Amino acid sequence: MTENSQQPQSEPTPELPTQYAPAEVEGKLYERWVERGYFAADAKSDKPAYTIVIPPPNVTGSLHLGHAFQHTLMDALTRRKRMQGYESLWLPGMDHAGIATQNVVERELGKEGKSRHDLGRDAFVERVWQWKEEYGGKILGQMRRLGDGVDWSRERFTMDEGLSQAVQTIFKKLYDDELIYRAERIINWCPRCLTAISDIEVEYQDDDGELVSMKYGEGDDTIVVATTRAETMLGDTAVAVHPDDERYRHLVGRRIKLPLTDRTIPVVADTHVDPEFGTGAVKVTPAHDPNDFAIGQRHDLESLTVMDERGVITVHGPFQGLDRFEARSAIVAALRAEGRIVAEKRPYVHSVGHCSRCKTTLEPRLSMQWWVKVGPLAKAAGDAVRDGRVTIHPADMSKRYFDWVDNMHDWCISRQLWWGHRIPVWYGPEGEVVCVGPDEEPPGTEAEGWKQDPDVLDTWFSSGLWPFSSLGWPERTPDLEKFYSTDVLLTGHDIIFFWVARMMMFGLYAMDGEVPFKTIALTGLVRDQFGKKMSKSSGTAVDPLDWMNAYGSDAVRFTLARGANPGTDVPIGEDWVQASRNFANKIWNATRFALMNGATVEGPLPDPSEMTATDRWILSRLNKTVAEVDAFYDDFQFAKLSDALYHFAWDEVFDWYVELSKTTFMAGGEPAKVSGRVLGEVLDVTLRLLHPIVPFVTETLWTTLTGGESVVIAEWPTDSGFRDAGAEREIETLQQVITEVRRFRADQGLQPGQRVPARLTLDGTALAPHEAAIRQLLRLQPEGEAFAATATLPVAGATVALDLSGTIDVAAERKRLAKDLAAAEKEKAQANAKLGNEAFLAKAPDQVVDKIRTRLAKADEDIARIQAQLERLPEA
């Protein structure tokens, strides 16, 4: 905590409006921050650097709650570090999102009755750029609405000139190091998007299919196989059995008839086959199944492709031209007609891969593609975490990371799209293959027989370079020197595989072993208030802009931060946002009260000897809160730090300190001036602590309170070390008395503002100086001549005697409490009877028994409470 980190006021403090209206201030404040360059980082600065690069949202995207959640946390981190004196860079940008963007523009063309092929490649790419300029990047404006403190002067796009040069540079480097190669393998193919997609972009779901068992061969050479994809049997080139399976030993090495074709296929022995599963024999289709492809490689089998890129059957015969699903039914019918169907199971629920972009059922397909040899790269990515150069938070997420990088398959990086980074490889008329770097000319022209590879790179290839390409690599720029390695990668645990591992591999490789980030802070996913996934189809999806418009951006941010426990999902509901709006209003109203009652930041803090115990208590609690919040920030415990700030601000500052100080302010004089300075200090520090999470309301209040330029560039509070255990004990005792008497008043049915005559016996306790505050807060009148103590409350060494004779009907109150006591005792008896019934306990589900035990505990609590109330009542 600093004594006075802001400039002295040069003019009277202006009054705050009676109500806080977020819509009237948020947009203006943000533009002022940007215009004044508060978020711009200086590579020439002597300050230590703190860097976060934003996970670049898709150019097609708009702000959803997941973005708002992660952006709130990243903004909080960078705002705090900026206040701590770091050259804080939060670098923004967008991803070109190959498949998603191409799909959007193709749909637009479809409305015109055209396809991309009607335009041709160059014209289509130009059309995508036009779309990007006109409609893309909507999310960037929405980030401003949220309050993202990013350095807009450094905004990047994964297809801009600099990043395109980085992509070409690293492709060439990997190619020359023989870490990129071209090979024909089974890939995941989307018949809708007409491109390969990587394993991690496959969404698996349980589909209702069919399991068909069918008979291959004739007579003694008959063998039964089962499949969920009967249409692929047209491409079978073998049947495989386990080498030790006695049932089929006589068939191994022989050829059998493949139904519906004029071909025969061999029976091969392979240890991949599980003899216990099904019939112990499997059909082998090397061109349409990854496991079958591996078997085919081991046994030198032919690979026959029987479908085109759209999933249409291409082999000659009656099935040619049929869609794969139409062919499935037709082939089963034809086999049934020949008496070759042994069994059919429908529905047969099994896991099926779907395209994460368009949800089409994927087709394993043999295809010539470009691949990254990930072995050495993945090992380096694993070693960087194992040796401590990179820390994963929370630590238990490390297992998921290692499970991926330690078992990673080579990465298919080519996509059959037109929008994206074109693969920088040219093929010559004599079969030459030349990879071209960014400063090199192509080896020849099309007229000379040279052609560039038509494919583009996987979007994750370019976004994997983001931490260093966005800072100017491959040039050794001042930005790269100053801000790399980045400090924190904050992202969802769901893209460890997509993005995190790729950045680790490429960063270590391109930057000579220097890690791309020092800490990986993994968050959960935003869920609805019941913990379920939000979706448009179920009506649970929320546009965060709607909530921002209704309650203000601060309310949305605070709600998200308050639910952010590391690595765990975040439930959120509109009533929680409303509660956060109420918190912002509470801060506003308390600051208004403080300003009207002389709160100030002028001059140093008074000596503790001049302060009341209440003053010393709140300063002691303030410093503890500063230390607590710092510790939570360093451990990425956003929920805990938000909760700590909420309860300190609302409970201790507003509900206790402000209320306890009202008598001091009303009395005036030097004590009021001292408390006014203490209150100013407490609000100054509290607003600075809150600022990274709720930037708008705190900016308005802090600048009004202090006269400072902006809380964005104010100094982050530090713990001064001031503690006063005695004052804390004293005020805790005072709180105990007030709380206990308030509870008694409520139990007796007294209205909060109803005044009651009371005699306070405080002599010999630390509470004597607080009599005025106790009477004020508890609405206790001085005792009159006719005072009669009808209820006496001994609390914490003090005694509070109340005269309730003129405030409640004691007889009626006793009657009401007696009725409540009888009901509670009846509830207890019923619960005990059930829990004592062995037959009931033997049959009842655990949750039912637990519910009855809870009812019993509640009944016991009610009985004790009511009996205590009856004892405190005077005789009727």
Side-chain angles (χ1 to χ4, degrees):
M1 183 177 72
T2 54
E3 282 198 349
N4 187 17
S5 64
Q6 58 289 315
Q7 303 89 332
Q9 295 168 276
S10 57
E11 57 185 33
T13 302
E15 289 188 5
L16 289 167
T18 55
Q19 290 185 323
Y20 177 50
E24 295 178 11
V25 300
E26 290 181 347
K28 295 175 184 176
L29 283 181
Y30 188 84
E31 292 309 315
R32 185 189 307 161
W33 292 335
V34 173
E35 288 168 7
R36 293 181 177 179
Y38 293 156
F39 306 140
D42 183 1
K44 298 178 182 178
S45 168
D46 293 332
K47 297 178 182 178
Y50 183 83
T51 315
I52 294 181
V53 291
I54 204 167
N58 286 355
V59 67
T60 59
S62 60
L63 190 74
H64 57 63
L65 273 175
H67 289 128
F69 170 54
Q70 291 180 359
H71 287 206
T72 293
L73 305 187
M74 285 184 278
D75 196 29
L77 290 173
T78 49
R79 283 179 183 267
R80 171 176 175 256
K81 285 295 183 181
R82 186 178 295 113
M83 295 172 75
Q84 286 182 316
Y86 287 78
E87 196 62 39
S88 189
L89 170 62
W90 186 18
L91 193 148
M94 291 186 299
D95 191 285
H96 66 280
I99 296 176
T101 308
Q102 180 157 321
N103 282 348
V104 167
V105 178
E106 285 196 85
R107 281 196 296 271
E108 292 297 314
L109 282 175
K111 295 174 184 177
E112 303 171 15
K114 297 178 182 177
S115 73
R116 60 181 162 123
H117 299 285
D118 294 323
L119 270 66
R121 183 169 194 141
D122 291 343
F124 176 77
V125 170
E126 179 59 32
R127 181 72 175 259
V128 180
W129 277 108
Q130 291 172 5
W131 179 91
K132 185 258 181 187
E133 293 303 317
E134 188 171 355
Y135 301 107
K138 177 182 178 183
I139 192 172
L140 299 179
Q142 295 168 337
M143 287 163 54
R144 291 173 176 262
R145 181 78 173 80
L146 185 66
D148 284 7
V150 297
D151 184 348
W152 292 110
S153 69
R154 286 178 166 85
E155 180 189 335
R156 303 305 300 268
F157 179 54
T158 52
M159 287 277 285
D160 69 30
E161 184 177 352
L163 268 66
S164 295
Q165 182 183 30
V167 168
Q168 196 170 351
T169 299
I170 202 163
F171 187 99
K172 170 73 170 173
K173 180 174 170 60
L174 289 162
Y175 182 87
D176 290 346
D177 288 346
E178 299 183 349
L179 292 173
I180 281 184
Y181 63 94
R182 192 170 183 244
E184 191 175 44
R185 293 188 180 174
I186 294 285
I187 47 87
N188 303 295
W189 181 265
C190 178
R192 158 63 184 79
C193 297
L194 299 180
T195 182
I197 66 172
S198 64
D199 292 344
I200 55 178
E201 293 174 297
V202 179
E203 289 183 355
Y204 288 94
Q205 66 184 49
D206 289 339
D207 287 358
D208 288 343
E210 59 183 352
L211 181 67
V212 179
S213 298
M214 47 197 184
K215 189 164 52 178
Y216 283 14
E218 305 286 353
D220 292 340
D221 290 348
T222 298
I223 194 167
V224 176
V225 298
T227 184
T228 58
R229 302 170 66 225
E231 68 279 9
T232 64
M233 60 88 59
L234 299 174
D236 286 357
T237 55
V239 170
V241 299
H242 194 277
D244 299 331
D245 195 331
E246 294 292 339
R247 295 171 294 176
Y248 305 117
R249 191 180 293 275
H250 67 290
L251 288 176
V252 174
R254 296 174 65 174
R255 300 185 72 86
I256 61 174
K257 175 78 167 62
L258 179 65
L260 309 181
T261 72
D262 57 1
R263 294 190 290 116
T264 61
I265 57 176
V267 177
V268 299
D270 195 281
T271 54
H272 171 76
V273 180
D274 180 1
E276 303 298 324
F277 182 77
T279 64
V282 297
K283 58 190 285 300
V284 181
T285 321
H288 292 278
D289 183 274
N291 293 322
D292 292 3
F293 178 77
I295 293 174
Q297 293 286 95
R298 289 193 288 272
H299 298 277
D300 198 25
L301 300 176
E302 185 180 7
S303 294
L304 297 178
T305 299
V306 297
M307 281 180 239
D308 67 12
E309 60 184 9
R310 298 182 183 276
V312 174
I313 301 298
T314 57
V315 292
H316 295 293
F319 312 109
Q320 185 176 9
L322 293 181
D323 172 80
R324 52 185 169 155
F325 300 118
E326 296 172 334
R328 182 176 300 173
S329 299
I331 287 169
V332 170
L335 290 168
R336 191 183 298 113
E338 289 190 6
R340 290 187 174 274
I341 298 297
V342 176
E344 298 178 68
K345 183 176 181 181
R346 296 188 185 89
Y348 178 73
V349 179
H350 62 129
S351 182
V352 177
H354 295 259
C355 175
S356 61
R357 299 291 182 187
C358 69
K359 313 309 177 187
T360 299
T361 300
L362 295 172
E363 192 63 43
R365 175 181 172 85
L366 185 63
S367 181
M368 183 67 75
Q369 302 284 346
W370 286 94
W371 304 80
V372 172
K373 186 184 296 183
V374 300
L377 302 175
K379 181 181 183 304
D383 289 345
V385 175
R386 287 189 170 94
D387 63 25
R389 283 176 290 155
V390 177
T391 302
I392 293 180
H393 189 89
D396 58 9
M397 284 284 177
S398 298
K399 183 179 183 302
R400 295 185 65 182
Y401 177 80
F402 291 131
D403 285 346
W404 180 250
V405 297
D406 292 347
N407 300 285
M408 196 182 295
H409 299 296
D410 283 1
W411 172 19
C412 177
I413 56 171
S414 45
R415 299 290 181 266
Q416 289 64 56
L417 303 171
W418 287 355
W419 172 245
H421 294 283
R422 188 89 173 261
I423 289 177
V425 172
W426 270 255
Y427 305 108
E430 304 300 325
E432 303 97 329
V433 179
V434 178
C435 180
V436 176
D439 300 321
E440 300 172 348
E441 293 295 326
T445 65
E446 284 198 21
E448 296 168 333
W450 287 88
K451 291 186 178 180
Q452 186 176 358
D453 193 297
D455 291 351
V456 300
L457 288 162
D458 179 10
T459 296
W460 297 102
F461 188 95
S462 52
S463 60
L465 315 181
W466 188 249
F468 52 94
S469 64
S470 58
L471 293 170
W473 188 90
E475 300 298 323
R476 202 75 196 183
T477 63
D479 276 3
L480 195 66
E481 294 285 354
K482 177 73 174 178
F483 297 111
Y484 191 90
S485 295
T486 69
D487 289 87
V488 177
L489 171 72
L490 190 144
T491 190
H493 62 66
D494 56 324
I495 59 171
I496 292 177
F497 321 124
F498 288 90
W499 193 44
V500 178
R502 298 193 177 341
M503 287 189 289
M504 285 286 282
M505 291 192 302
F506 282 165
L508 291 161
Y509 173 75
M511 299 299 293
D512 300 320
E514 196 174 355
V515 297
F517 23 75
K518 302 175 186 74
T519 300
I520 301 169
L522 296 171
T523 70
L525 310 178
V526 178
R527 304 283 185 177
D528 69 16
Q529 58 189 314
F530 306 108
K532 296 180 180 178
K533 183 178 180 180
M534 290 186 173
S535 68
K536 292 181 181 178
S537 59
S538 64
T540 57
V542 173
D543 184 343
L545 293 170
D546 292 341
W547 281 353
M548 288 183 212
N549 291 334
Y551 308 113
S553 297
D554 284 336
V556 175
R557 290 170 62 113
F558 192 75
T559 305
L560 291 165
R562 205 172 175 194
N565 289 299
T568 59
D569 290 347
V570 182
I572 184 173
E574 187 166 5
D575 54 339
W576 303 342
V577 184
Q578 291 171 351
S580 295
R581 183 270 316 273
N582 295 343
F583 179 51
N585 288 341
K586 185 78 169 179
I587 303 170
W588 184 271
N589 292 332
T591 306
R592 284 189 74 244
F593 168 85
L595 290 170
M596 290 187 293
N597 284 275
T600 180
V601 297
E602 290 185 339
L605 276 174
D607 189 85
S609 63
E610 302 175 36
M611 299 179 187
T612 65
T614 309
D615 293 334
R616 297 194 306 276
W617 162 73
I618 197 63
L619 289 175
S620 184
R621 290 294 309 129
L622 176 65
N623 277 284
K624 285 185 177 180
T625 301
V626 170
E628 191 175 30
V629 167
D630 274 334
F632 285 143
Y633 260 116
D634 292 341
D635 199 34
F636 302 98
Q637 296 281 0
F638 294 98
K640 290 182 179 179
L641 73 89
S642 299
D643 238 25
L645 286 169
Y646 176 89
H647 288 296
F648 174 72
W650 192 308
D651 300 346
E652 298 187 285
V653 179
F654 306 147
D655 280 359
W656 282 109
Y657 181 72
V658 168
E659 292 299 319
L660 289 171
S661 299
K662 281 183 178 178
T663 53
T664 304
F665 290 131
M666 286 189 290
E670 193 61 29
K673 291 181 180 178
V674 171
S675 290
R677 179 64 187 91
V678 170
L679 179 54
E681 179 76 7
V682 170
L683 285 175
D684 168 23
V685 173
T686 301
L687 291 170
R688 282 185 279 147
L689 289 173
L690 282 164
H691 172 73
I693 296 176
V694 284
F696 294 108
V697 68
T698 52
E699 172 79 340
T700 304
L701 295 176
W702 188 87
T703 53
T704 303
L705 171 72
T706 68
E709 180 183 336
S710 172
V711 70
V712 177
I713 55 172
E715 185 179 339
W716 180 253
T718 55
D719 176 8
S720 71
F722 177 80
R723 300 289 190 275
D724 193 324
E728 291 200 40
R729 286 193 300 270
E730 183 173 326
I731 301 306
E732 284 170 9
T733 302
L734 176 60
Q735 290 172 327
Q736 184 182 349
V737 171
I738 292 172
T739 301
E740 188 66 26
V741 177
R742 277 177 173 168
R743 184 181 297 118
F744 176 75
R745 286 176 57 107
D747 288 343
Q748 305 312 313
L750 295 175
Q751 295 300 313
Q754 190 172 355
R755 294 197 168 272
V756 178
R759 176 185 298 146
L760 304 184
T761 306
L762 306 176
D763 295 342
T765 73
L767 299 176
H770 302 287
E771 180 169 352
I774 292 173
R775 287 189 178 277
Q776 170 70 22
L777 291 176
L778 291 174
R779 303 295 188 267
L780 302 180
Q781 296 176 186
E783 55 184 289
E785 291 183 6
F787 179 82
T790 57
T792 302
L793 305 176
V795 186
T799 302
V800 180
L802 303 174
D803 182 354
L804 303 178
S805 57
T807 57
I808 62 171
D809 184 336
V810 175
E813 187 64 14
R814 281 190 171 279
K815 186 176 180 181
R816 181 185 70 81
L817 289 172
K819 183 179 178 182
D820 290 348
L821 181 61
E825 289 173 337
K826 181 180 179 181
E827 175 76 0
K828 178 178 180 178
Q830 290 175 341
N832 274 327
K834 287 188 176 181
L835 294 174
N837 186 334
E838 295 296 334
F840 169 78
L841 294 176
K843 295 179 181 178
D846 290 344
Q847 61 266 34
V848 172
V849 175
D850 289 342
K851 190 174 182 180
I852 294 171
R853 289 194 178 116
T854 301
R855 283 170 50 195
L856 176 60
K858 176 68 165 55
D860 281 333
E861 289 177 9
D862 289 344
I863 290 168
R865 176 179 54 80
I866 296 167
Q867 287 175 338
Q869 289 175 242
L870 283 167
E871 288 173 7
R872 288 171 174 168
L873 277 176
E875 294 299 325

